[in-house]
């Protein structure tokens, strides 16, 4: 059969290249740390990106870095990868298991070019675990989590070490240069060199606005009116991050590929008020199960879908299957996703595909609280855990460390008289079981477990069944062989395998 011209055109459209995927992960960016939510700060590029995207209003992440990134990358809850306790430390032989396929591997199978710039934090003790051996053609950036923004050096386990990689090897050559600028430049270079006939998957782990609090002086000067020193530098870091995001957006625009790009912007967890961040009006902070730790800033721009808001519940665990759906890429590695594709919800403003998500179950955090209420469920309520189901949020154990603030933390740069809106009449800190109705009480002012014991019992049973699928929590001691004094002053892979690295020299 002869193909008509029209038939040929639609055929070539059908086999047209897939949309690019750009993932931007801000580090520790709090709910109140973009100017869209807090006009005292200045993040016009991030605001603009969110406003040309679907702004996710009921969107959740994990309370800390490694778990969120592992869930995004693997599509699996941290209770299924052994990463349910904390972040990966230098010299700690821990990481996202190699048996869990990650996004870039599947996008590579789907014909994408895959590049990564910035933070990894999913393990590196074995060379097989670094980004270049997990589906990325190149990685420029760092492997752990809280290094200096200028010296790329991290103090841990009693030692300083440089943590910076380029072309599959550790390097100290960018010592003294601010990482937000380095990362913007590398993305610009990669996008400029990209062949537009191919599809691009670009994963950018921004270092800002994670502590240590450091920003170029000209940014700090713009916020000299903020009296609180930490908040002043933090505001400068958000501005610097925003400029980096602006440069990345422009590089895609200059290349003429912005319109064909899916752009997912997310924080990895709530802001740390201990280091300049803020989540007002949400309760709590990073590393707590309060909303301030887990309700995230997030947006997704999908080619052909008009900018809008989405109020439907969505969790970062849904993002991997969602991206595969949006790009029509098959699940070539047979990942058993814990989340659901939310593509229909996003594209058609349909209902959410899930009415619950697991916040966490951390067997290594056990509360000593004197709550003597008994429940039918066998779930050990002393253990720190959390679950969202419909409007309900159940927390067990202690939602945060003892020395953390438990309330709503007022932004230091705001006029002091606003403080009177802050409620501080909270439940006893001894409770082992807490229930909140997030739809009606998003600020978690009213603990209602005694009023709704049947909901508590149901949710404890749900937690118990999640727990029955959990793998043991992995939290190994640091390995002395991984310390910088054994590795030329670097934090780098230290366990040699016969695996051959394929270095990508940019
Ligand atoms: C690197 O910079 C951080 C933040 O300023 C600082 O705390 C740390 O001491 C520096 N490390 C080295 C080795 O200079
Ligand atoms: C449980 O604790 C409450 C408050 O401390 C106390 O009044 C009550 O007697 C305790 N109940 C039991 C059964 O121990
Ligand atoms: C989870 O299951 C394990 C294995 O059965 C059990 O030892 C542990 O107590 C359970 N955790 C909780 C929080 O109930
Ligand atoms: C990195 O370079 C700085 C500046 O030259 C130097 O002080 C530091 O010792 C170097 N670190 C390593 C691990 O080479």
């Amino acid at each position: 059969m002869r193909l008509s011209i029209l038939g040929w055109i639609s055929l070539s459209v059908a086999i047209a290249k897939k949309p690019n995927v750009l993932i931007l992960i801000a580090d520790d960016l709090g709910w109140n740390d973009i100017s869209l939510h807090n006009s005292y700060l200045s993040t016009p590029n991030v605001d603009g990106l969110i406003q040309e995207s679907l702004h996710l209003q009921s969107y959740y992440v994990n309370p800390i870095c490694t778990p969120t990134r592992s869930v995004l990358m693997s599509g699996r809850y941290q209770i299924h990868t052994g990463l349910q306790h904390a972040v990966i430390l230098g010299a700690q032989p821990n990481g996202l298991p190699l048996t869990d396929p990650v996004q870039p591997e599947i996008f590579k199978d789907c014909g994408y070019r895959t590049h990564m710039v910035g933070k990894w934090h999913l393990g590196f003790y074995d060379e097989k675990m670094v980004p270049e051996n997990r589906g990325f053609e190149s990685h420029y950036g760092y492997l752990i989590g809280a290094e200096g923004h200028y010296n790329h050096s991290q103090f841990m386990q009693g030692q300083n070490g440089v943590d910076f990689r380029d072309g599959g090897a550790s390097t100290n050559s960018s010592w003294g240069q601010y990482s937000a600028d380095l990362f913007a430049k590398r993305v610009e270079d990669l996008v400029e060199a990209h062949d537009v006939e191919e599809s691009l998957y670009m994963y950018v782990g921004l270092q800002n606005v994670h502590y240590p609090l450091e920003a170029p002086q000209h940014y700090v000067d713009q916020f000299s009116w903020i009296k609180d020193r930490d908040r002043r530098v933090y505001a400068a870091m958000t501005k610097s991050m925003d400029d980096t995001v602006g440069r990345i957006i422009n590089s895609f625009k200059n290349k003429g590929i912005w319109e064909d790009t899916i752009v997912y912007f997310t924080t990895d967890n709530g802001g740390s008020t201990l280091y300049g961040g803020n989540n007002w009006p949400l309760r709590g902070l990073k590393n707590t199960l309060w909303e301030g730790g887990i309700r995230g800033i997030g947006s997704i721009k999908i080619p052909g879908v008009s900018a809008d808001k989405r109020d439907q519940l969505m969790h970062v665990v849904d993002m991997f299957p969602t991206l595969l759906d949006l790009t029509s890429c098959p699940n070539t590695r047979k990942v058993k996703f814990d989340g659901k594709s939310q593509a229909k919800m996003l594209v058609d403003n349909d209902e959410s595909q899930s009415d619950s998500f697991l916040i966490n179950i951390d067997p290594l955090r056990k509360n000593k609280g004197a709550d003597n209420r008994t429940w039918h469920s066998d779930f050990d309520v002393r253990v720190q855990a959390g679950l969202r189901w419909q409007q309900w949020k159940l927390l067990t154990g202690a939602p945060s460390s003892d020395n953390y603030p438990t309330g709503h933390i007022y932004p230091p740069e705001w006029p002091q008289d606003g403080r009177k809106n802050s409620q501080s009449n909270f439940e006893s800190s001894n409770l082992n079981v807490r229930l909140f109705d997030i739809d009606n009480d998003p600020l978690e002012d009213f603990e209602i477990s005694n009023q709704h014991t049947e909901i508590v019992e149901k949710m404890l049973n749900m937690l118990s069944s999640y727990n029955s699928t959990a793998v043991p929590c992995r939290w190994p001691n640091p390995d002395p062989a991984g310390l910088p004094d054994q590795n030329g002053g670097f934090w780098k892979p230290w366990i040699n395998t016969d695996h051959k690295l394929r270095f990508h020299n940019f």
Side-chain angles (χ1 to χ4, degrees), residues 331-367:
N331 179 2
T332 43
R333 312 267 172 144
K334 300 189 168 55
V335 178
K336 285 167 65 191
F337 292 119
D338 284 328
K340 301 262 173 56
S341 167
Q342 297 283 9
K344 265 187 77 59
M345 179 275 274
L346 294 168
V347 173
D348 300 332
N349 203 6
D350 223 340
E351 58 189 36
S352 177
Q353 292 303 301
S354 50
D355 66 353
S356 69
F357 59 82
L358 177 70
I359 300 170
N360 197 17
I361 303 171
D362 181 349
L364 301 186
R365 292 188 210 222
K366 234 179 209 185
N367 195 11

Side-chain angles (χ1 to χ4, degrees), residues 162 172 175 488-489:
V162 170
N172 192 24
W175 194 91

Side-chain angles (χ1 to χ4, degrees), residues 67-78 80-81 96 100-103 106 122 315-322 324 331 335-340:
T68 292
R69 288 162 205 259
S70 70
V71 168
L72 172 60
M73 273 299 184
S74 71
R76 305 274 292 155
Y77 280 130
Q78 60 277 10
H80 293 149
T81 58
L96 182 65
D100 285 297
V102 291
Q103 278 193 23
I106 291 185
L122 295 179
H315 188 268
V316 63
V317 74
D318 298 329
M319 200 44 87
F320 192 169
T322 301
L324 291 189
N331 179 2
V335 178
K336 285 167 65 191
F337 292 119
D338 284 328
K340 301 262 173 56

Side-chain angles (χ1 to χ4, degrees), residues 270-463:
S272 176
T273 54
L274 308 174
Y275 298 98
N278 194 263
N279 306 297
W280 182 268
L282 301 178
R283 186 175 176 181
L285 60 150
K286 172 186 178 178
N287 205 12
T288 75
L289 304 191
W290 303 118
E291 292 292 280
I294 62 170
R295 188 165 173 189
I297 289 172
S299 67
I300 183 163
K301 180 179 92 68
I302 303 171
V305 179
S306 319
D308 202 350
K309 293 185 174 179
R310 292 289 180 263
D311 296 319
Q312 297 90 326
L313 201 62
M314 180 165 183
H315 188 268
V316 63
V317 74
D318 298 329
M319 200 44 87
F320 192 169
T322 301
L323 288 173
L324 291 189
D325 241 11
L326 292 174
T327 54
S328 307
C329 284
N331 179 2
T332 43
R333 312 267 172 144
K334 300 189 168 55
V335 178
K336 285 167 65 191
F337 292 119
D338 284 328
K340 301 262 173 56
S341 167
Q342 297 283 9
K344 265 187 77 59
M345 179 275 274
L346 294 168
V347 173
D348 300 332
N349 203 6
D350 223 340
E351 58 189 36
S352 177
Q353 292 303 301
S354 50
D355 66 353
S356 69
F357 59 82
L358 177 70
I359 300 170
N360 197 17
I361 303 171
D362 181 349
L364 301 186
R365 292 188 210 222
K366 234 179 209 185
N367 195 11
K368 297 179 286 291
D371 184 347
N372 57 10
R373 291 175 297 171
T374 57
W375 307 94
H376 294 301
S377 168
D378 63 352
F379 191 75
D380 182 348
V381 295
R382 292 169 303 169
V383 168
Q384 187 190 73
L387 176 73
R388 173 76 184 259
W389 173 60
Q390 297 179 352
Q391 76 263 45
W392 309 103
K393 176 177 176 181
L394 181 80
L395 300 177
T396 66
S400 74
S401 307
D402 290 346
N403 54 346
Y404 273 35
T406 61
H408 308 97
I409 298 142
Y410 192 74
E413 72 278 15
W414 284 14
Q416 290 302 303
D417 54 4
R419 246 177 223 285
K420 62 178 180 287
N421 296 324
S422 164
Q423 302 205 32
S424 53
N425 192 15
F426 292 129
E427 74 283 354
S428 149
S429 64
N430 280 336
L431 293 185
N432 276 337
V433 172
R434 291 172 168 85
L435 184 71
F436 297 93
D437 176 346
I438 297 299
D439 282 354
N440 294 302
D441 177 27
L443 308 186
E444 300 169 297
D445 284 320
F446 306 104
E447 195 290 300
I448 50 175
S449 55
N450 285 335
Q451 289 88 318
H452 296 278
T453 53
E454 76 297 349
I455 303 284
V456 172
E457 294 288 6
K458 178 182 165 68
M459 292 182 78
L460 286 174
N461 286 338
M462 290 170 79
L463 273 177

Side-chain angles (χ1 to χ4, degrees), residues 14 21 27 53 75 89 94 132 144 147 192 244-245 260 281 305 331 347 361 387 425 433 465 472:
V21 176
D27 204 351
S53 307
L89 305 176
N94 199 9
E132 288 93 337
I144 324 180
E147 55 178 55
E192 176 53 34
T244 295
V245 169
D260 312 325
V305 179
N331 179 2
V347 173
I361 303 171
L387 176 73
N425 192 15
V433 172
S465 71

Side-chain angles (χ1 to χ4, degrees), residues 90-93 157 159 476-487 490-492 494-495:
Q92 190 183 39
Q157 325 288 5
Q159 294 191 16
N477 289 328
D479 177 356
L483 294 172
D485 65 5
Q486 303 298 306
N487 295 285
F490 291 98
W491 299 105
K492 60 199 273 283
W494 68 92
I495 293 176

